[in-house]
Amino acid sequence: MPESPYTVSDVMTHTAVAIGSEAPFKEIVELLDQWKVSAVPVLAGEGRVVGVVSEADLLAKEEFRDDADGPSDRDPGRRAKAGAVTAGKLMSSPAVTVHANASVAEAARIMARRHVKRLPVVDAVGMLQGVVSRSDLLKVFLRPDGEIAEDVRHQVLGRLPVTESLTVSVTEGVVTLGGALPDRSLVPVLARAVRAVEGVVDVRLDLTHR
């Protein structure tokens, strides 16, 4: 198993469905339904990601159905998408992307900040390598408790000599540390280090201070 932090390449879907800019509206809807995804990258040339078409982009057509031809003070960008029939006109561009070597935490922050559910994974020149979704990022919480405990011992306690004698137990991803610490000031440092281990749900400290 890789050491923390896990990267996007550890959890992403390497075989990703994608479309060209001329893909028609109905074909896009059919692809989303067939592959059970909420968005697809739009590619140009030999595979460079130039945008993303999401369910939200497609739903503009339904949103403006009742006033498609009349005046409206609603979002003009959304209104334009309501009249679009190809991926190039529907897509959000530039695409919000992530690199394969980004940490899982970084990908999660990008999704939260940009309000997206899926990120195309690209290389240094923007070529599509795969896709990572919210559900992919949650895979780290499927790690067995034994693996998490071993990582805590090796990656945290093994690197802080004064903590080597602490005990580690993990239940349902919740890490409990027991034993004695020589310095109370180490507690927040230790807790942060344990939380950084992939798959940790919470940290409980049952510690005494010498």
Side-chain angles (χ1 to χ4, degrees):
M1 297 298 292
E3 288 201 352
S4 299
Y6 270 29
T7 64
V8 168
S9 63
D10 295 319
V11 298
M12 74 184 196
T13 300
H14 291 266
T15 303
V17 59
I19 55 175
S21 61
E22 296 304 313
F25 185 99
K26 190 169 182 177
E27 179 183 319
I28 301 168
V29 176
E30 289 171 345
L31 278 174
L32 295 184
D33 180 65
Q34 177 185 348
W35 290 88
K36 307 304 178 188
V37 295
S38 60
V40 287
V42 181
L43 307 184
E46 297 182 357
R48 185 171 57 87
V49 178
V50 294
V52 171
V53 176
S54 69
E55 292 170 331
D57 296 320
L58 296 167
L59 279 171
K61 192 169 293 293
E62 194 66 27
E63 177 185 343
F64 285 86
R65 183 178 298 280
D66 59 354
D67 64 349
D69 299 318
S72 175
D73 59 358
R74 286 145 74 182
D75 186 342
R78 296 282 296 164
R79 187 179 180 83
K81 290 188 179 187
V85 295
T86 63
K89 298 295 185 181
L90 286 159
M91 69 183 185
S92 298
S93 182
V96 181
T97 62
V98 69
H99 293 295
N101 61 357
S103 70
V104 168
E106 181 180 349
R109 287 193 291 269
I110 293 172
M111 286 186 186
R113 186 168 62 247
R114 300 300 295 271
H115 304 290
V116 295
K117 298 177 181 179
R118 297 166 62 83
L119 294 170
V121 182
V122 299
D123 63 14
V125 294
M127 303 292 283
L128 183 66
Q129 294 186 301
V131 171
V132 66
S133 67
R134 289 176 176 176
S135 60
D136 290 329
L137 299 185
L138 290 174
K139 288 176 183 176
V140 296
F141 294 107
L142 297 177
R143 297 187 68 200
D145 290 340
E147 285 185 4
I148 296 172
E150 184 59 29
D151 273 2
V152 171
R153 294 186 188 100
H154 174 64
Q155 298 175 27
V156 180
L157 305 187
R159 294 176 180 178
L160 295 171
V162 295
T163 66
E164 285 182 338
S165 63
L166 298 184
T167 61
V168 180
S169 64
V170 184
T171 303
E172 297 294 321
V174 178
V175 178
T176 300
L177 298 181
L181 277 178
D183 187 345
R184 184 183 295 271
S185 66
L186 290 173
V187 171
V189 176
L190 187 59
R192 280 196 302 272
V194 173
R195 284 194 176 92
V197 173
E198 298 293 354
V200 171
V201 174
D202 198 7
V203 180
R204 296 174 182 171
L205 304 177
D206 184 17
L207 303 171
T208 59
H209 309 287
R210 296 195 293 269

